[in-house]
């Protein structure tokens, strides 16, 4: 996702925010992010939004930078 809050989290907290499938679990999200972007995931938090959208907040470990991944995706 590319919102003000998610861009701030990329810059300051080393976190990425994704809209995920409603049935996706933390393990599913962690595995997918690690395989797709070749990074190490430290933590995954899931948030169910009021609009019915499920969001995954993915914190990357210190050796992986969220800004590099977001640049590859074209967010920043």
């Amino acid at each position: 996702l590319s919102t003000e809050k998610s861009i701030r989290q990329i810059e300051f907290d080393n976190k990425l925010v994704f809209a995920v499938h409603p049935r996706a679990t933390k393990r599913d999200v962690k595995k997918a992010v690690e395989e797709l972007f070749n990074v190490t995931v430290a933590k995954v938090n899931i948030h169910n939004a009021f609009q019915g959208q499920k969001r995954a907040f993915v914190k990357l470990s210190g050796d992986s930078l969220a800004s590099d991944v977001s640049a590859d995706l074209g967010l920043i």
Side-chain angles (χ1 to χ4, degrees):
L1 293 174
S2 180
T3 62
E4 274 188 50
K5 183 178 179 179
S6 65
I7 298 299
R8 193 174 333 111
Q9 288 183 338
I10 289 170
E11 294 172 351
F12 297 112
D13 298 333
N14 203 29
K15 286 185 182 180
L16 295 168
V17 183
F18 296 100
V20 296
H21 191 273
R23 293 188 192 158
T25 63
K26 290 181 180 184
R27 288 184 191 153
D28 296 336
V29 172
K30 180 178 179 177
K31 182 179 175 186
V33 170
E34 287 180 341
E35 287 179 4
L36 288 173
F37 303 114
N38 295 324
V39 294
T40 306
V41 174
K43 186 176 181 181
V44 176
N45 288 327
I46 299 290
H47 177 271
N48 290 313
F50 289 113
Q51 297 85 10
Q53 187 180 42
K54 192 173 201 177
R55 296 179 183 174
F57 294 84
V58 179
K59 181 161 179 67
L60 301 180
S61 65
D63 60 339
S64 305
L65 294 175
S67 58
D68 292 342
V69 175
S70 63
D72 292 341
L73 293 173
L75 295 176
I76 294 181

